[in-house]
Every structure is written in structure tokens, then in C-alpha cells.
Amino acid sequence: MSLTLQTALQFGGLLGSQLGQLLLAIVAVGVVILVGRVVLKVAWRLVTIAAVVVGLVLLASLFLG
């Protein structure tokens, strides 16, 4: 049996307990938060760029129109 499979089976036993499941849930929430932070960082940049572009178009339409 390979070392990786043995390690996975050992962790499977650890995750079978309530504390193991709690640890898994906390790690999963942490991963979701980290991914969410990256997505929100990109989203804020897109919203900021869109607001600047729309503001410039509005100003241009007021002065040129």
C-alpha cells in the first residue's frame, strides 16, 4: 500500500470523530473565506473601474452634449 493511501486512511479515522469533523468544517470555512476574499478583491476593482468609466462618460455627455 502506498504511503499516500496509508496517510489518507489514517486521516479518515481522525475525521470520523466529532473533533475531526469540526476541524474539517473550520478548514472548509477558512478556504471559502480565502477564496471569497480574492473574488471580492477582483469584484471591487471591477466596480471601481466601472464607476470611473460611467462617471467619465456622464461628464463627457454633459460637456459635449
Side-chain angles (χ1 to χ4, degrees):
M1 195 179 313
S2 70
L3 181 61
T4 307
L5 183 57
Q6 286 177 342
T7 306
L9 289 174
Q10 288 173 352
F11 280 129
L14 291 175
L15 296 177
S17 69
Q18 286 183 338
L19 283 177
Q21 290 176 353
L22 180 62
L23 175 63
L24 181 64
I26 291 171
V27 169
V29 168
V31 168
V32 168
I33 289 172
L34 286 175
V35 170
R37 286 184 61 177
V38 172
V39 170
L40 284 175
K41 190 175 184 179
V42 172
W44 272 113
R45 286 183 181 165
L46 290 174
V47 168
T48 304
I49 291 168
V52 169
V53 168
V54 169
L56 290 174
V57 169
L58 176 64
L59 286 175
S61 70
L62 288 175
F63 288 117
L64 300 175

